[in-house]
Amino acid sequence: AQKVTQAQTEISVVEKEDVTLDCVYETRDTTYYLFWYKQPPSGELVFLIRRNSFDEQNEISGRYSWNFQKSTSSFNFTITASQVVDSAVYFCALSEPRNTGGFKTIFGAGTRLFVKA
Amino acid sequence: EAQVTQNPRYLITVTGKKLTVTCSQNMNHEYMSWYRQDPGLGLRQIYYSMNVEVTDKGDVPEGYKVSRKEKRNFPLILESPSPNQTSLYFCASSLPGRREQYFGPGTRLTVT
C-alpha cells in the first residue's frame, strides 16, 4: 500500500543552522511522483518541488536542496542556513496513477519546523 | 493572477444543516480535488475530478458530495454535517500531466 512517513513531528533549530527533513515512502508502482509542500503559519499550502520516479538527480534551489534515493525510498529535504521565514509545516507527498484514471496523492503527516532567531 | 479561491474561509454551523463550500480556479486546470487536513494526519483526499462531469471518490468520501458542471468550479457539499467533519478543507487544482497541485487558501469548518 502507498504510504508516506515523515518521522520527525517537530524540529527546532537556531537561525543559520542546516536542517534536513526526512521523508520515506512506500509504493508498488514504478511510475510515481514525489513532492514537497510548505505550509507557513498563515495556512496556505505552497508547492516547492516535484520529482518523478525516473529522475534521481538531486536538485538545489537557493538554500533548498532535495535528495531522492530510490534504493532507500527516501526523498529528503535540506534547508541550508535556515532563516526564521523557513518556520512552517512541511509536507512530503506521493502521487500515483489510479486504476480508474487520474492520480492519487498521499501526504505525510508533516514536519513542523521552528527556526529561532 | 493565477489562483484557486474558496468560500467561505471560516464557517461555524450546527449538526445537520446543509452547507456548500465553493472552489474556483482560473488556470484552466482539468484536475481538481478536495482535501481535509486534521492534526497528525496530513491531508487526506475527499473527492477528485478529472474534468467536467467526471468525479470520483478519494480516501475519505463519506458524508461529502461534489459536482463539476464547469471546468473552473468544484463545490464541496455536506448534506448533513456532523461534528467529525470539523476540519480544515483545501481545494486544489492541477494539470494532469504535471501533478503538482495548487491549493486554495483553505476553509476552516466547525460543526457543533
Side-chain angles (χ1 to χ4, degrees), chain A residues 37 39 50 98 103-104, chain B residues 31 45 48 59 98 101:
Chain A
Y37 290 88
Q39 187 175 41
R50 176 188 80 149
R98 286 181 182 270
F103 57 91
K104 173 176 182 160
Chain B
Y31 192 93
Q45 191 176 51
Y48 69 97
D59 296 313
R98 294 289 304 172
Q101 296 179 76

Side-chain angles (χ1 to χ4, degrees), chain A residues 30-106:
Chain A
T30 55
T31 303
Y32 53 89
Y33 290 81
L34 294 163
F35 306 86
W36 277 95
Y37 290 88
K38 175 181 180 179
Q39 187 175 41
S42 51
E44 73 271 24
L45 281 153
V46 179
F47 163 71
L48 294 178
I49 188 170
R50 176 188 80 149
R51 180 60 82 227
N52 73 48
S53 53
F54 300 108
D55 181 3
E56 279 194 80
Q57 269 193 328
N58 293 329
E59 177 146 345
I60 299 174
S61 175
R63 296 184 297 106
Y64 294 173
S65 62
W66 291 270
N67 184 295
F68 175 30
Q69 291 196 340
K70 284 175 79 169
S71 60
T72 55
S73 296
S74 65
F75 186 43
N76 297 337
F77 173 26
T78 297
I79 302 174
T80 303
S82 59
Q83 299 177 1
V84 172
V85 293
D86 295 327
S87 297
V89 180
Y90 291 87
F91 291 97
C92 180
L94 164 70
S95 178
E96 297 179 341
R98 286 181 182 270
N99 293 336
T100 52
F103 57 91
K104 173 176 182 160
T105 303
I106 299 289

